[in-house]
Amino acid sequence: GEDVEQSLFLSVREGDSSVINCTYTDSSSTYLYWYKQEPGAGLQLLTYIFSNMDMKQDQRLTVLLNKKDKHLSLRIADTQTGDSAIYFCAESIVGGSQGNLIFGKGTKLSVKP
Amino acid sequence: KAGVTQTPRYLIKTRGQQVTLSCSPISGHRSVSWYQQTPGQGLQFLFEYFSETQRNKGNFPGRFSGRQFSNSRSEMNVSTLELGDSALYLCASSLTQPGQGSGYTFGSGTRLTVV
């Protein structure tokens, strides 16, 4: 079945760049998403990329997509302590039994001052 | 523009009871999905509704049910609660039909604790 994998933890220093990686299995995914979850909160959509794009930049966020390797990454430039959260990668599948969004387990980003 | 509103934010129920959770999508959004989030299983899909019709259902027992009203508001119900149903229940709304992109906007969730 469909699966999305992410590393569970990432620790960086304030001001450094963070790179969160994700691999997915379904080559028919049309959109891939990055969500952020802060403690006690729901999921906040950060950005998404259409599957025919290689890169998308939005202020401090850069998304890279390697469709051949089914690899997605999120780069956060100049990481701040407020960026500490769990980041979820998700691929969109139409009509699958796991729903239209298949999520990874999330990467917990810790930013040290 | 109001976001996705989920009520209540917190619930404590006893095993065997039933519970109803509510979700009001963003105005104009017709697609509503429900997810269960637990530390062990992560985010698991429950069901999706579009224009009052259930379009997709996840692998949950029949104790979990839902519906969508003509104003796009959605409710989910869990009957005969078990300890393992303790979780954060998240609702997401989307402007477009399933699979057409545009992203899903999530509510803050309902934290259900079963004791």
Side-chain angles (χ1 to χ4, degrees), chain A residues 16-70:
Chain A
D16 288 349
S17 291
S18 307
V19 179
I20 303 171
N21 295 300
C22 167
T23 57
Y24 60 98
T25 56
D26 196 312
S27 57
S28 65
S29 296
T30 51
Y31 291 88
L32 295 129
Y33 301 89
W34 284 104
Y35 282 88
K36 175 184 179 183
Q37 187 176 37
E38 296 182 78
L43 300 178
Q44 175 194 353
L45 177 63
L46 286 177
T47 185
Y48 64 92
I49 187 168
F50 189 49
S51 58
N52 68 354
M53 296 170 64
D54 297 324
M55 185 182 85
K56 181 179 180 182
Q57 188 153 2
D58 184 2
Q59 298 182 343
R60 293 191 297 123
L61 305 178
T62 303
V63 178
L64 294 177
L65 175 60
N66 181 329
K67 196 169 181 181
K68 175 176 169 289
D69 294 337
K70 300 191 184 72

Side-chain angles (χ1 to χ4, degrees), chain A residues 76-88:
Chain A
I76 305 172
D78 188 26
T79 313
Q80 303 297 306
T81 53
D83 295 323
S84 293
I86 300 176
Y87 291 80
F88 292 91

